[in-house]
Amino acid sequence: DINPEAAASTRRTLGNHGITDVEIILADLVKGLGSQILGHVDVLIFNPPYVPTSDEEVTQNGIARAWAGGHRGRVVIDRLLQQLPDILSASGQLFMVTVAENDPQGIIEEMGKCGFAG
């Protein structure tokens, strides 16, 4: 997660369930994870900020950043979609939360041009 508070909350939640052997990483999408993940991600679960807002809200600090998706709710989604061909393995799958305003069918069509199936 990019949000240190969200990462801390995740650590607490895992700890409350006795799960301690997890590495929680602060990163902006996959930036900072290193080249070792390129082409090796088999399953990517992505719950992006998808609510349509002004583009300015996407980069603001605070809780709104958790849901502020910018134009069509796609600012962060589109950033990740551009990186998928490089990070997913040959059999890799993306599971992503979207709403109608994000144009899920359009996302599937765009990704189809890169060889992905929806």
Side-chain angles (χ1 to χ4, degrees):
D1 204 302
I2 195 170
N3 182 333
E5 293 175 26
S9 177
T10 298
R11 184 172 307 287
R12 284 190 304 275
T13 300
L14 291 170
N16 289 341
H17 294 278
I19 302 169
T20 58
D21 190 26
V22 174
E23 182 179 8
I24 297 171
I25 300 170
L26 286 174
D28 182 4
L29 297 178
V30 298
K31 185 188 279 186
L33 296 181
S35 60
Q36 66 269 18
I37 71 161
L38 296 178
H40 294 286
V41 176
D42 293 321
V43 176
L44 178 58
I45 300 170
F46 187 41
N47 184 7
Y50 55 79
V51 176
T53 63
S54 69
D55 285 351
E56 293 77 29
E57 285 185 70
V58 174
T59 57
Q60 291 181 352
N61 291 326
I63 191 69
R65 194 168 187 181
W67 67 76
H71 179 67
R72 298 186 311 148
R74 293 275 301 264
V75 171
V76 177
I77 290 171
D78 289 343
R79 284 183 51 222
L80 180 73
L81 294 180
Q82 293 172 359
Q83 299 176 53
L84 282 183
D86 294 329
I87 62 174
L88 287 180
S89 68
S91 60
Q93 297 183 40
L94 168 68
F95 296 89
M96 178 172 56
V97 177
T98 62
V99 294
E101 292 85 356
N102 304 144
D103 186 18
Q105 187 59 43
I107 292 171
I108 292 169
E109 291 169 7
E110 288 174 39
M111 297 314 296
K113 295 173 187 174
C114 298
F116 294 101

PDB file of all heavy atoms in Angstrom, residues 8-45:
ATOM      1  N   ALA A   8      -0.066  -0.068   8.580  1.00  0.00           N
ATOM      2  CA  ALA A   8      -0.084  -0.309  10.022  1.00  0.00           C
ATOM      3  C   ALA A   8      -1.364  -1.037  10.430  1.00  0.00           C
ATOM      4  O   ALA A   8      -1.337  -1.950  11.262  1.00  0.00           O
ATOM      5  CB  ALA A   8       0.058   1.005  10.783  1.00  0.00           C
ATOM      6  N   SER A   9      -2.470  -0.655   9.845  1.00  0.00           N
ATOM      7  CA  SER A   9      -3.741  -1.313  10.132  1.00  0.00           C
ATOM      8  C   SER A   9      -3.704  -2.776   9.695  1.00  0.00           C
ATOM      9  O   SER A   9      -4.192  -3.664  10.403  1.00  0.00           O
ATOM     10  CB  SER A   9      -4.883  -0.579   9.427  1.00  0.00           C
ATOM     11  OG  SER A   9      -6.099  -1.232   9.639  1.00  0.00           O
ATOM     12  N   THR A  10      -3.110  -3.032   8.548  1.00  0.00           N
ATOM     13  CA  THR A  10      -2.976  -4.407   8.064  1.00  0.00           C
ATOM     14  C   THR A  10      -2.133  -5.227   9.028  1.00  0.00           C
ATOM     15  O   THR A  10      -2.484  -6.358   9.367  1.00  0.00           O
ATOM     16  CB  THR A  10      -2.346  -4.417   6.658  1.00  0.00           C
ATOM     17  OG1 THR A  10      -3.211  -3.714   5.762  1.00  0.00           O
ATOM     18  CG2 THR A  10      -2.113  -5.831   6.159  1.00  0.00           C
ATOM     19  N   ARG A  11      -1.036  -4.648   9.500  1.00  0.00           N
ATOM     20  CA  ARG A  11      -0.165  -5.353  10.441  1.00  0.00           C
ATOM     21  C   ARG A  11      -0.926  -5.690  11.729  1.00  0.00           C
ATOM     22  O   ARG A  11      -0.839  -6.797  12.253  1.00  0.00           O
ATOM     23  CB  ARG A  11       1.078  -4.525  10.763  1.00  0.00           C
ATOM     24  CG  ARG A  11       2.070  -5.266  11.670  1.00  0.00           C
ATOM     25  CD  ARG A  11       3.390  -4.560  11.843  1.00  0.00           C
ATOM     26  NE  ARG A  11       4.060  -4.202  10.604  1.00  0.00           N
ATOM     27  CZ  ARG A  11       4.672  -5.059   9.772  1.00  0.00           C
ATOM     28  NH1 ARG A  11       4.670  -6.335  10.051  1.00  0.00           N
ATOM     29  NH2 ARG A  11       5.271  -4.620   8.687  1.00  0.00           N
ATOM     30  N   ARG A  12      -1.699  -4.730  12.239  1.00  0.00           N
ATOM     31  CA  ARG A  12      -2.495  -4.971  13.454  1.00  0.00           C
ATOM     32  C   ARG A  12      -3.535  -6.066  13.226  1.00  0.00           C
ATOM     33  O   ARG A  12      -3.713  -6.953  14.063  1.00  0.00           O
ATOM     34  CB  ARG A  12      -3.181  -3.689  13.919  1.00  0.00           C
ATOM     35  CG  ARG A  12      -2.268  -2.695  14.599  1.00  0.00           C
ATOM     36  CD  ARG A  12      -3.049  -1.554  15.258  1.00  0.00           C
ATOM     37  NE  ARG A  12      -3.933  -0.839  14.342  1.00  0.00           N
ATOM     38  CZ  ARG A  12      -3.552   0.167  13.565  1.00  0.00           C
ATOM     39  NH1 ARG A  12      -2.303   0.599  13.590  1.00  0.00           N
ATOM     40  NH2 ARG A  12      -4.428   0.763  12.771  1.00  0.00           N
ATOM     41  N   THR A  13      -4.218  -5.994  12.105  1.00  0.00           N
ATOM     42  CA  THR A  13      -5.250  -6.986  11.799  1.00  0.00           C
ATOM     43  C   THR A  13      -4.644  -8.384  11.709  1.00  0.00           C
ATOM     44  O   THR A  13      -5.187  -9.339  12.274  1.00  0.00           O
ATOM     45  CB  THR A  13      -5.974  -6.633  10.485  1.00  0.00           C
ATOM     46  OG1 THR A  13      -6.582  -5.344  10.629  1.00  0.00           O
ATOM     47  CG2 THR A  13      -7.027  -7.666  10.138  1.00  0.00           C
ATOM     48  N   LEU A  14      -3.534  -8.497  11.005  1.00  0.00           N
ATOM     49  CA  LEU A  14      -2.870  -9.803  10.902  1.00  0.00           C
ATOM     50  C   LEU A  14      -2.433 -10.289  12.278  1.00  0.00           C
ATOM     51  O   LEU A  14      -2.621 -11.459  12.620  1.00  0.00           O
ATOM     52  CB  LEU A  14      -1.665  -9.707   9.962  1.00  0.00           C
ATOM     53  CG  LEU A  14      -1.992  -9.497   8.484  1.00  0.00           C
ATOM     54  CD1 LEU A  14      -0.729  -9.162   7.705  1.00  0.00           C
ATOM     55  CD2 LEU A  14      -2.679 -10.716   7.894  1.00  0.00           C
ATOM     56  N   GLY A  15      -1.858  -9.387  13.075  1.00  0.00           N
ATOM     57  CA  GLY A  15      -1.422  -9.740  14.423  1.00  0.00           C
ATOM     58  C   GLY A  15      -2.571 -10.211  15.293  1.00  0.00           C
ATOM     59  O   GLY A  15      -2.425 -11.154  16.082  1.00  0.00           O
ATOM     60  N   ASN A  16      -3.717  -9.579  15.156  1.00  0.00           N
ATOM     61  CA  ASN A  16      -4.899  -9.983  15.918  1.00  0.00           C
ATOM     62  C   ASN A  16      -5.345 -11.400  15.584  1.00  0.00           C
ATOM     63  O   ASN A  16      -6.057 -12.032  16.358  1.00  0.00           O
ATOM     64  CB  ASN A  16      -6.065  -9.016  15.677  1.00  0.00           C
ATOM     65  CG  ASN A  16      -5.833  -7.667  16.313  1.00  0.00           C
ATOM     66  OD1 ASN A  16      -5.019  -7.513  17.211  1.00  0.00           O
ATOM     67  ND2 ASN A  16      -6.545  -6.660  15.825  1.00  0.00           N
ATOM     68  N   HIS A  17      -4.934 -11.878  14.423  1.00  0.00           N
ATOM     69  CA  HIS A  17      -5.292 -13.229  13.993  1.00  0.00           C
ATOM     70  C   HIS A  17      -4.102 -14.190  14.091  1.00  0.00           C
ATOM     71  O   HIS A  17      -4.142 -15.294  13.547  1.00  0.00           O
ATOM     72  CB  HIS A  17      -5.840 -13.201  12.565  1.00  0.00           C
ATOM     73  CG  HIS A  17      -7.140 -12.472  12.469  1.00  0.00           C
ATOM     74  ND1 HIS A  17      -8.348 -13.052  12.780  1.00  0.00           N
ATOM     75  CD2 HIS A  17      -7.421 -11.188  12.141  1.00  0.00           C
ATOM     76  CE1 HIS A  17      -9.315 -12.162  12.629  1.00  0.00           C
ATOM     77  NE2 HIS A  17      -8.782 -11.024  12.247  1.00  0.00           N
ATOM     78  N   GLY A  18      -3.046 -13.724  14.764  1.00  0.00           N
ATOM     79  CA  GLY A  18      -1.886 -14.582  14.980  1.00  0.00           C
ATOM     80  C   GLY A  18      -1.011 -14.775  13.758  1.00  0.00           C
ATOM     81  O   GLY A  18      -0.180 -15.673  13.724  1.00  0.00           O
ATOM     82  N   ILE A  19      -1.170 -13.947  12.773  1.00  0.00           N
ATOM     83  CA  ILE A  19      -0.369 -14.052  11.545  1.00  0.00           C
ATOM     84  C   ILE A  19       0.750 -13.017  11.627  1.00  0.00           C
ATOM     85  O   ILE A  19       0.489 -11.814  11.630  1.00  0.00           O
ATOM     86  CB  ILE A  19      -1.238 -13.818  10.296  1.00  0.00           C
ATOM     87  CG1 ILE A  19      -2.372 -14.833  10.257  1.00  0.00           C
ATOM     88  CG2 ILE A  19      -0.382 -13.883   9.031  1.00  0.00           C
ATOM     89  CD1 ILE A  19      -3.435 -14.544   9.219  1.00  0.00           C
ATOM     90  N   THR A  20       1.968 -13.488  11.702  1.00  0.00           N
ATOM     91  CA  THR A  20       3.094 -12.564  11.871  1.00  0.00           C
ATOM     92  C   THR A  20       4.153 -12.697  10.788  1.00  0.00           C
ATOM     93  O   THR A  20       4.991 -11.825  10.635  1.00  0.00           O
ATOM     94  CB  THR A  20       3.763 -12.784  13.238  1.00  0.00           C
ATOM     95  OG1 THR A  20       4.189 -14.146  13.322  1.00  0.00           O
ATOM     96  CG2 THR A  20       2.791 -12.475  14.375  1.00  0.00           C
ATOM     97  N   ASP A  21       4.142 -13.771  10.030  1.00  0.00           N
ATOM     98  CA  ASP A  21       5.171 -14.013   9.026  1.00  0.00           C
ATOM     99  C   ASP A  21       4.758 -13.447   7.665  1.00  0.00           C
ATOM    100  O   ASP A  21       4.623 -14.172   6.686  1.00  0.00           O
ATOM    101  CB  ASP A  21       5.459 -15.513   8.919  1.00  0.00           C
ATOM    102  CG  ASP A  21       6.683 -15.791   8.065  1.00  0.00           C
ATOM    103  OD1 ASP A  21       7.552 -14.915   7.962  1.00  0.00           O
ATOM    104  OD2 ASP A  21       6.749 -16.895   7.493  1.00  0.00           O
ATOM    105  N   VAL A  22       4.502 -12.136   7.643  1.00  0.00           N
ATOM    106  CA  VAL A  22       4.072 -11.451   6.429  1.00  0.00           C
ATOM    107  C   VAL A  22       4.901 -10.184   6.275  1.00  0.00           C
ATOM    108  O   VAL A  22       5.106  -9.447   7.240  1.00  0.00           O
ATOM    109  CB  VAL A  22       2.570 -11.074   6.505  1.00  0.00           C
ATOM    110  CG1 VAL A  22       2.156 -10.242   5.308  1.00  0.00           C
ATOM    111  CG2 VAL A  22       1.714 -12.318   6.615  1.00  0.00           C
ATOM    112  N   GLU A  23       5.375  -9.950   5.080  1.00  0.00           N
ATOM    113  CA  GLU A  23       6.109  -8.722   4.807  1.00  0.00           C
ATOM    114  C   GLU A  23       5.133  -7.705   4.218  1.00  0.00           C
ATOM    115  O   GLU A  23       4.550  -7.928   3.156  1.00  0.00           O
ATOM    116  CB  GLU A  23       7.247  -8.981   3.826  1.00  0.00           C
ATOM    117  CG  GLU A  23       8.079  -7.751   3.547  1.00  0.00           C
ATOM    118  CD  GLU A  23       9.229  -8.023   2.591  1.00  0.00           C
ATOM    119  OE1 GLU A  23       9.303  -9.133   2.030  1.00  0.00           O
ATOM    120  OE2 GLU A  23      10.036  -7.112   2.403  1.00  0.00           O
ATOM    121  N   ILE A  24       4.949  -6.605   4.915  1.00  0.00           N
ATOM    122  CA  ILE A  24       4.075  -5.536   4.446  1.00  0.00           C
ATOM    123  C   ILE A  24       4.965  -4.470   3.836  1.00  0.00           C
ATOM    124  O   ILE A  24       5.898  -3.988   4.476  1.00  0.00           O
ATOM    125  CB  ILE A  24       3.231  -4.973   5.600  1.00  0.00           C
ATOM    126  CG1 ILE A  24       2.329  -6.088   6.136  1.00  0.00           C
ATOM    127  CG2 ILE A  24       2.420  -3.764   5.144  1.00  0.00           C
ATOM    128  CD1 ILE A  24       1.608  -5.747   7.392  1.00  0.00           C
ATOM    129  N   ILE A  25       4.676  -4.123   2.612  1.00  0.00           N
ATOM    130  CA  ILE A  25       5.552  -3.227   1.854  1.00  0.00           C
ATOM    131  C   ILE A  25       4.820  -1.939   1.522  1.00  0.00           C
ATOM    132  O   ILE A  25       3.699  -1.965   1.018  1.00  0.00           O
ATOM    133  CB  ILE A  25       6.009  -3.913   0.553  1.00  0.00           C
ATOM    134  CG1 ILE A  25       6.764  -5.196   0.881  1.00  0.00           C
ATOM    135  CG2 ILE A  25       6.857  -2.968  -0.288  1.00  0.00           C
ATOM    136  CD1 ILE A  25       7.038  -6.068  -0.313  1.00  0.00           C
ATOM    137  N   LEU A  26       5.465  -0.824   1.795  1.00  0.00           N
ATOM    138  CA  LEU A  26       4.950   0.473   1.363  1.00  0.00           C
ATOM    139  C   LEU A  26       5.496   0.742  -0.033  1.00  0.00           C
ATOM    140  O   LEU A  26       6.715   0.773  -0.236  1.00  0.00           O
ATOM    141  CB  LEU A  26       5.389   1.587   2.312  1.00  0.00           C
ATOM    142  CG  LEU A  26       4.673   1.628   3.647  1.00  0.00           C
ATOM    143  CD1 LEU A  26       5.305   2.675   4.550  1.00  0.00           C
ATOM    144  CD2 LEU A  26       3.207   1.926   3.465  1.00  0.00           C
ATOM    145  N   ALA A  27       4.604   0.893  -0.999  1.00  0.00           N
ATOM    146  CA  ALA A  27       5.035   1.119  -2.373  1.00  0.00           C
ATOM    147  C   ALA A  27       3.913   1.781  -3.153  1.00  0.00           C
ATOM    148  O   ALA A  27       2.745   1.676  -2.795  1.00  0.00           O
ATOM    149  CB  ALA A  27       5.413  -0.203  -3.031  1.00  0.00           C
ATOM    150  N   ASP A  28       4.273   2.439  -4.217  1.00  0.00           N
ATOM    151  CA  ASP A  28       3.324   3.028  -5.149  1.00  0.00           C
ATOM    152  C   ASP A  28       3.116   2.020  -6.272  1.00  0.00           C
ATOM    153  O   ASP A  28       3.959   1.896  -7.168  1.00  0.00           O
ATOM    154  CB  ASP A  28       3.865   4.348  -5.675  1.00  0.00           C
ATOM    155  CG  ASP A  28       2.908   5.056  -6.609  1.00  0.00           C
ATOM    156  OD1 ASP A  28       1.777   4.575  -6.800  1.00  0.00           O
ATOM    157  OD2 ASP A  28       3.292   6.101  -7.158  1.00  0.00           O
ATOM    158  N   LEU A  29       2.025   1.269  -6.186  1.00  0.00           N
ATOM    159  CA  LEU A  29       1.745   0.149  -7.082  1.00  0.00           C
ATOM    160  C   LEU A  29       2.910  -0.827  -7.010  1.00  0.00           C
ATOM    161  O   LEU A  29       3.201  -1.340  -5.944  1.00  0.00           O
ATOM    162  CB  LEU A  29       1.438   0.636  -8.500  1.00  0.00           C
ATOM    163  CG  LEU A  29       0.193   1.511  -8.626  1.00  0.00           C
ATOM    164  CD1 LEU A  29       0.008   1.984 -10.074  1.00  0.00           C
ATOM    165  CD2 LEU A  29      -1.062   0.796  -8.168  1.00  0.00           C
ATOM    166  N   VAL A  30       3.612  -1.086  -8.117  1.00  0.00           N
ATOM    167  CA  VAL A  30       4.719  -2.041  -8.060  1.00  0.00           C
ATOM    168  C   VAL A  30       6.076  -1.356  -8.002  1.00  0.00           C
ATOM    169  O   VAL A  30       7.100  -2.026  -7.891  1.00  0.00           O
ATOM    170  CB  VAL A  30       4.672  -3.038  -9.246  1.00  0.00           C
ATOM    171  CG1 VAL A  30       3.403  -3.860  -9.184  1.00  0.00           C
ATOM    172  CG2 VAL A  30       4.803  -2.335 -10.568  1.00  0.00           C
ATOM    173  N   LYS A  31       6.081  -0.023  -8.044  1.00  0.00           N
ATOM    174  CA  LYS A  31       7.342   0.713  -7.970  1.00  0.00           C
ATOM    175  C   LYS A  31       8.020   0.408  -6.642  1.00  0.00           C
ATOM    176  O   LYS A  31       7.397   0.462  -5.594  1.00  0.00           O
ATOM    177  CB  LYS A  31       7.089   2.217  -8.075  1.00  0.00           C
ATOM    178  CG  LYS A  31       8.363   3.052  -8.121  1.00  0.00           C
ATOM    179  CD  LYS A  31       8.061   4.519  -8.029  1.00  0.00           C
ATOM    180  CE  LYS A  31       7.652   5.048  -9.376  1.00  0.00           C
ATOM    181  NZ  LYS A  31       7.470   6.510  -9.378  1.00  0.00           N
ATOM    182  N   GLY A  32       9.272   0.072  -6.687  1.00  0.00           N
ATOM    183  CA  GLY A  32      10.009  -0.217  -5.468  1.00  0.00           C
ATOM    184  C   GLY A  32      10.035  -1.682  -5.106  1.00  0.00           C
ATOM    185  O   GLY A  32      10.701  -2.080  -4.161  1.00  0.00           O
ATOM    186  N   LEU A  33       9.299  -2.522  -5.832  1.00  0.00           N
ATOM    187  CA  LEU A  33       9.313  -3.951  -5.538  1.00  0.00           C
ATOM    188  C   LEU A  33      10.479  -4.657  -6.219  1.00  0.00           C
ATOM    189  O   LEU A  33      10.781  -5.793  -5.927  1.00  0.00           O
ATOM    190  CB  LEU A  33       7.991  -4.608  -5.937  1.00  0.00           C
ATOM    191  CG  LEU A  33       6.763  -4.120  -5.180  1.00  0.00           C
ATOM    192  CD1 LEU A  33       5.528  -4.866  -5.658  1.00  0.00           C
ATOM    193  CD2 LEU A  33       6.937  -4.286  -3.680  1.00  0.00           C
ATOM    194  N   GLY A  34      11.107  -3.985  -7.147  1.00  0.00           N
ATOM    195  CA  GLY A  34      12.286  -4.543  -7.796  1.00  0.00           C
ATOM    196  C   GLY A  34      11.965  -5.356  -9.033  1.00  0.00           C
ATOM    197  O   GLY A  34      10.832  -5.759  -9.272  1.00  0.00           O
ATOM    198  N   SER A  35      12.995  -5.599  -9.792  1.00  0.00           N
ATOM    199  CA  SER A  35      12.835  -6.309 -11.057  1.00  0.00           C
ATOM    200  C   SER A  35      12.562  -7.795 -10.865  1.00  0.00           C
ATOM    201  O   SER A  35      12.154  -8.471 -11.803  1.00  0.00           O
ATOM    202  CB  SER A  35      14.081  -6.113 -11.924  1.00  0.00           C
ATOM    203  OG  SER A  35      15.217  -6.626 -11.257  1.00  0.00           O
ATOM    204  N   GLN A  36      12.765  -8.308  -9.639  1.00  0.00           N
ATOM    205  CA  GLN A  36      12.549  -9.739  -9.412  1.00  0.00           C
ATOM    206  C   GLN A  36      11.096 -10.156  -9.611  1.00  0.00           C
ATOM    207  O   GLN A  36      10.817 -11.334  -9.812  1.00  0.00           O
ATOM    208  CB  GLN A  36      13.042 -10.176  -8.027  1.00  0.00           C
ATOM    209  CG  GLN A  36      12.285  -9.603  -6.862  1.00  0.00           C
ATOM    210  CD  GLN A  36      12.847  -8.288  -6.333  1.00  0.00           C
ATOM    211  OE1 GLN A  36      13.609  -7.616  -7.020  1.00  0.00           O
ATOM    212  NE2 GLN A  36      12.467  -7.930  -5.140  1.00  0.00           N
ATOM    213  N   ILE A  37      10.142  -9.205  -9.581  1.00  0.00           N
ATOM    214  CA  ILE A  37       8.739  -9.582  -9.783  1.00  0.00           C
ATOM    215  C   ILE A  37       8.350  -9.582 -11.254  1.00  0.00           C
ATOM    216  O   ILE A  37       7.310 -10.133 -11.611  1.00  0.00           O
ATOM    217  CB  ILE A  37       7.767  -8.681  -8.995  1.00  0.00           C
ATOM    218  CG1 ILE A  37       7.706  -7.276  -9.585  1.00  0.00           C
ATOM    219  CG2 ILE A  37       8.088  -8.670  -7.526  1.00  0.00           C
ATOM    220  CD1 ILE A  37       6.480  -6.515  -9.172  1.00  0.00           C
ATOM    221  N   LEU A  38       9.170  -8.989 -12.111  1.00  0.00           N
ATOM    222  CA  LEU A  38       8.806  -8.872 -13.518  1.00  0.00           C
ATOM    223  C   LEU A  38       8.557 -10.252 -14.135  1.00  0.00           C
ATOM    224  O   LEU A  38       9.415 -11.122 -14.116  1.00  0.00           O
ATOM    225  CB  LEU A  38       9.887  -8.127 -14.298  1.00  0.00           C
ATOM    226  CG  LEU A  38      10.101  -6.672 -13.884  1.00  0.00           C
ATOM    227  CD1 LEU A  38      11.227  -6.044 -14.698  1.00  0.00           C
ATOM    228  CD2 LEU A  38       8.826  -5.866 -14.022  1.00  0.00           C
ATOM    229  N   GLY A  39       7.352 -10.425 -14.644  1.00  0.00           N
ATOM    230  CA  GLY A  39       6.975 -11.667 -15.285  1.00  0.00           C
ATOM    231  C   GLY A  39       6.722 -12.826 -14.334  1.00  0.00           C
ATOM    232  O   GLY A  39       6.548 -13.959 -14.776  1.00  0.00           O
ATOM    233  N   HIS A  40       6.666 -12.553 -13.038  1.00  0.00           N
ATOM    234  CA  HIS A  40       6.536 -13.639 -12.060  1.00  0.00           C
ATOM    235  C   HIS A  40       5.273 -13.563 -11.200  1.00  0.00           C
ATOM    236  O   HIS A  40       5.106 -14.374 -10.305  1.00  0.00           O
ATOM    237  CB  HIS A  40       7.755 -13.667 -11.136  1.00  0.00           C
ATOM    238  CG  HIS A  40       9.011 -14.033 -11.850  1.00  0.00           C
ATOM    239  ND1 HIS A  40       9.292 -15.312 -12.268  1.00  0.00           N
ATOM    240  CD2 HIS A  40      10.056 -13.276 -12.243  1.00  0.00           C
ATOM    241  CE1 HIS A  40      10.460 -15.330 -12.878  1.00  0.00           C
ATOM    242  NE2 HIS A  40      10.944 -14.113 -12.884  1.00  0.00           N
ATOM    243  N   VAL A  41       4.408 -12.598 -11.440  1.00  0.00           N
ATOM    244  CA  VAL A  41       3.194 -12.464 -10.629  1.00  0.00           C
ATOM    245  C   VAL A  41       2.107 -13.365 -11.221  1.00  0.00           C
ATOM    246  O   VAL A  41       1.659 -13.153 -12.339  1.00  0.00           O
ATOM    247  CB  VAL A  41       2.725 -10.993 -10.559  1.00  0.00           C
ATOM    248  CG1 VAL A  41       1.412 -10.883  -9.807  1.00  0.00           C
ATOM    249  CG2 VAL A  41       3.802 -10.124  -9.910  1.00  0.00           C
ATOM    250  N   ASP A  42       1.722 -14.386 -10.449  1.00  0.00           N
ATOM    251  CA  ASP A  42       0.705 -15.335 -10.921  1.00  0.00           C
ATOM    252  C   ASP A  42      -0.708 -14.862 -10.619  1.00  0.00           C
ATOM    253  O   ASP A  42      -1.618 -15.090 -11.405  1.00  0.00           O
ATOM    254  CB  ASP A  42       0.922 -16.700 -10.277  1.00  0.00           C
ATOM    255  CG  ASP A  42       2.215 -17.342 -10.739  1.00  0.00           C
ATOM    256  OD1 ASP A  42       2.561 -17.216 -11.926  1.00  0.00           O
ATOM    257  OD2 ASP A  42       2.884 -17.963  -9.898  1.00  0.00           O
ATOM    258  N   VAL A  43      -0.898 -14.213  -9.470  1.00  0.00           N
ATOM    259  CA  VAL A  43      -2.212 -13.705  -9.081  1.00  0.00           C
ATOM    260  C   VAL A  43      -2.023 -12.313  -8.499  1.00  0.00           C
ATOM    261  O   VAL A  43      -1.222 -12.124  -7.580  1.00  0.00           O
ATOM    262  CB  VAL A  43      -2.900 -14.613  -8.040  1.00  0.00           C
ATOM    263  CG1 VAL A  43      -4.225 -14.014  -7.591  1.00  0.00           C
ATOM    264  CG2 VAL A  43      -3.116 -16.010  -8.597  1.00  0.00           C
ATOM    265  N   LEU A  44      -2.753 -11.358  -9.035  1.00  0.00           N
ATOM    266  CA  LEU A  44      -2.718  -9.994  -8.527  1.00  0.00           C
ATOM    267  C   LEU A  44      -4.141  -9.602  -8.151  1.00  0.00           C
ATOM    268  O   LEU A  44      -5.037  -9.615  -8.999  1.00  0.00           O
ATOM    269  CB  LEU A  44      -2.165  -9.030  -9.576  1.00  0.00           C
ATOM    270  CG  LEU A  44      -2.100  -7.561  -9.205  1.00  0.00           C
ATOM    271  CD1 LEU A  44      -1.257  -7.345  -7.950  1.00  0.00           C
ATOM    272  CD2 LEU A  44      -1.547  -6.751 -10.356  1.00  0.00           C
ATOM    273  N   ILE A  45      -4.341  -9.300  -6.884  1.00  0.00           N
ATOM    274  CA  ILE A  45      -5.648  -8.851  -6.390  1.00  0.00           C
ATOM    275  C   ILE A  45      -5.521  -7.358  -6.159  1.00  0.00           C
ATOM    276  O   ILE A  45      -4.669  -6.914  -5.388  1.00  0.00           O
ATOM    277  CB  ILE A  45      -6.030  -9.593  -5.106  1.00  0.00           C
ATOM    278  CG1 ILE A  45      -6.090 -11.100  -5.380  1.00  0.00           C
ATOM    279  CG2 ILE A  45      -7.368  -9.074  -4.567  1.00  0.00           C
ATOM    280  CD1 ILE A  45      -6.210 -11.953  -4.158  1.00  0.00           C
TER     281      ILE A  45
END
